[in-house]
Amino acid sequence: MDISRWAVVFAVSGAFPASAVAADAQKIFTQGGANPAAMACSTCHGADGLGMPSAGFPRLAGLSADYLTKQISDFRSGARGNPIMLTIAQALSEDESKAVAGMLAKLPAPTVKLVNRAQTAKGPGEILALRGAWDRDIPECVACHGPGGIGVGATFPPLSGQSAQYLTSQLNAWKLNTRKNDQDDLMGHIARSLTDAEVEAVSRYFAELSK
């Protein structure tokens, strides 16, 4: 037996374990993962990753890769409930999750008006966004989510550039405790402190910032 030949074969095959092979993020996004249950992201989130507002599917383009990876992990574990995403997340491998999250983070995000607390606030949505309601221990949205709600790091996702329908659905999920994957129940407290009219007003305010 040619020991040297087998040594070379072993070295080559062992140098590239399956987990080290980079997942094809574009293929996952447009065609789905290796597991057929991991359907293409673009089916619901659009070819540009900007979502499908009329159907309530959020934009993923431009969101933090770490935030997206955490959400996939939370869907997979059930920490964030969604029957569609539960199946998809459980079908994606860790490598596939990280690859597609990294690709989505690099896609162009909508242009947003960078309003902040120095802006004059008028109307219930804008007042909540820029001033909060401190008599109810509700901080202004831009304090955590940044100017214009563009998002800050891996913890606070963008609010602007999302549809009012999606933002409303998430605030209601926090309110009903069907979504609870935030730290120290901060969003749960805020959502439960808002009236239905306030939820709709602040959601509409951020949705319109990117128009």
Side-chain angles (χ1 to χ4, degrees), residues 126-147:
E126 190 169 32
I127 289 171
L128 283 168
L130 305 184
R131 299 287 183 273
W134 285 99
D135 56 320
R136 289 177 282 161
D137 296 323
I138 301 173
E140 59 274 25
C141 306
V142 297
C144 295
H145 293 273

Side-chain angles (χ1 to χ4, degrees), residues 93-204:
S93 70
E94 291 288 342
D95 285 346
E96 288 175 325
S97 298
K98 291 178 181 177
V100 76
M103 187 207 82
L104 287 165
K106 295 176 182 177
L107 292 180
T111 301
V112 173
K113 184 179 179 182
L114 298 181
V115 295
N116 56 41
R117 285 173 283 187
Q119 179 104 0
T120 300
K122 299 177 182 179
E126 190 169 32
I127 289 171
L128 283 168
L130 305 184
R131 299 287 183 273
W134 285 99
D135 56 320
R136 289 177 282 161
D137 296 323
I138 301 173
E140 59 274 25
C141 306
V142 297
C144 295
H145 293 273
I150 59 173
V152 177
T155 305
F156 302 104
L159 304 179
S160 49
Q162 297 289 16
S163 70
Q165 182 178 346
Y166 174 72
L167 293 174
T168 297
S169 72
Q170 294 310 296
L171 283 170
N172 285 332
W174 294 117
K175 180 181 287 194
L176 296 172
N177 205 33
T178 56
R179 179 174 179 180
K180 45 191 175 182
N181 65 330
D182 61 333
Q183 186 172 355
D184 301 323
D185 193 37
L186 174 61
M187 281 306 306
H189 159 73
I190 291 172
R192 288 188 294 272
S193 300
L194 296 173
T195 66
D196 290 344
E198 287 174 328
V199 166
E200 291 182 8
V202 75
S203 298
R204 188 166 56 251

Side-chain angles (χ1 to χ4, degrees), residues 58-113:
R59 81 164 166 101
L60 304 179
L63 272 66
S64 158
D66 288 340
Y67 176 79
L68 290 170
T69 300
K70 180 184 185 302
Q71 299 313 300
I72 294 172
S73 176
D74 287 351
F75 282 128
R76 182 184 297 124
S77 69
R80 180 175 176 180
N82 183 292
I84 297 174
M85 283 305 305
L86 171 66
T87 301
I88 294 172
Q90 289 182 341
L92 286 170
S93 70
E94 291 288 342
D95 285 346
E96 288 175 325
S97 298
K98 291 178 181 177
V100 76
M103 187 207 82
L104 287 165
K106 295 176 182 177
L107 292 180
T111 301
V112 173
K113 184 179 179 182

